[in-house]
Amino acid sequence: YSIETRHNYTKLSADLLIVMFAFLLATQLSHRAWIGRDMLVVGGLVVGWYAASKFTPLYNDFRTLTFINEVWALLPNLLFQFAILTVFLFFLNDTNHARTFSLMYVSLLGTLITLKMYGQRKIFHYWNGKGIYQKTLVVLGDSDKMNGFVDFVNKNSQFGYKVVGVAPLPSAATSADQLGQTIRFLEKAHSLHLLDELIVISENFEEDTAKKITQWADSKGILLRFTPRF
């Protein structure tokens, strides 16, 4: 799941290009002469950005979170870029630009990526409202709680979700056959719609039921969310 779904390599590729462009722009604006070893510096910044992206939530799905949450996720990457550039310039004896150039580069990089994220968010919200680029999900749980959640999703298409199925959640009092029916329902929904997420809304999670559903979702690479109420 984390490789195929959550980590958005399109966004990552765009940001790596912005890293290189921000370095060139900072070099131009600061009147700093471009030297051959700067290629090594740019390469280090690109590798550093990629490495930092593995440990930060920058490329998570922010469709249900605010823009501020996305900006906060950007800050660790920017701090890491500042540290990498400062160390590179220090060891290359470019101490005259170690701090001022690093600050200019990070400021430009942060501004450009923030503008990209804002524009991208607006585009995706527009597409989601038109039914484009939506994630499919199935809801399991108590009928009264599911109805409120499904109504909310249907009325807020800008979040980019589409409910393609609902079903009651088997309890301890139900038979093993009913749990099997639920799994078969999920299998059919996944074969028809390629599910992205599975939401379970219930205040009581039976261990065996939760275990079977978790194992099924994990085997399909589907994000599973448990919530006691909506």
Side-chain angles (χ1 to χ4, degrees):
Y1 168 77
S2 62
I3 294 175
E4 296 178 3
T5 305
R6 173 167 289 186
H7 205 101
N8 192 316
Y9 285 101
T10 303
K11 293 180 181 179
L12 175 61
S13 299
D15 289 347
L16 294 180
L17 292 176
I18 293 176
V19 166
M20 293 184 281
F21 177 74
F23 186 89
L24 294 174
L25 184 59
T27 301
Q28 184 69 25
L29 294 177
S30 64
H31 305 289
R32 176 179 175 272
W34 172 271
I35 52 180
R37 60 189 181 184
D38 282 348
M39 290 295 296
L40 177 64
V41 178
V42 173
L45 294 173
V46 168
V47 172
W49 185 274
Y50 178 79
S53 72
K54 293 289 187 179
F55 302 98
T56 61
L58 181 59
Y59 296 105
N60 287 4
D61 194 342
F62 287 92
R63 67 178 66 207
T64 59
L65 299 177
T66 65
F67 181 64
I68 297 300
N69 294 110
E70 195 169 0
V71 173
W72 276 111
L74 172 65
L75 294 181
N77 292 62
L78 294 178
L79 292 175
F80 194 50
Q81 287 286 292
F82 178 79
I84 291 175
L85 183 56
T86 302
V87 170
F88 262 102
L89 295 179
F90 176 80
F91 281 105
L92 292 176
N93 295 320
D94 196 355
T95 54
N96 292 331
H97 300 92
R99 290 184 179 179
T100 56
F101 179 73
S102 298
L103 286 172
M104 180 177 291
Y105 162 74
V106 170
S107 299
L108 287 171
L109 180 62
T111 300
L112 291 173
I113 291 184
T114 300
L115 291 174
K116 185 220 70 172
M117 291 191 305
Y118 182 78
Q120 182 176 270
R121 176 175 283 256
K122 289 297 184 181
I123 292 172
F124 284 162
H125 277 190
Y126 175 78
W127 284 351
N128 293 335
K130 298 293 184 179
I132 305 172
Y133 192 64
Q134 290 187 325
K135 287 196 170 185
T136 56
L137 59 86
V138 162
V139 185
L140 301 179
D142 306 327
S143 58
D144 56 335
K145 298 179 178 63
M146 285 193 301
N147 292 337
F149 177 79
V150 172
D151 289 341
F152 176 80
V153 172
N154 291 336
K155 292 177 181 178
N156 293 273
S157 58
Q158 72 275 10
F159 287 130
Y161 283 98
K162 180 181 179 181
V163 178
V164 297
V166 295
L169 181 68
S171 63
T174 60
S175 63
D177 182 61
Q178 288 177 305
L179 178 57
Q181 289 179 1
T182 300
I183 297 298
R184 288 192 292 273
F185 164 78
L186 294 173
E187 287 281 0
K188 183 177 180 180
H190 184 57
S191 64
L192 292 174
H193 304 285
L194 291 178
L195 301 179
D196 293 300
E197 298 190 18
L198 171 60
I199 312 294
V200 179
I201 303 177
S202 178
E203 295 184 357
N204 299 305
F205 300 125
E206 302 298 338
E207 182 179 351
D208 187 58
T209 300
K211 181 179 179 180
K212 291 291 178 58
I213 292 175
T214 301
Q215 289 174 341
W216 180 86
D218 187 54
S219 68
K220 303 297 182 181
I222 297 172
L223 177 63
L224 174 61
R225 302 180 191 267
F226 285 99
T227 176
R229 62 181 62 86
F230 172 70

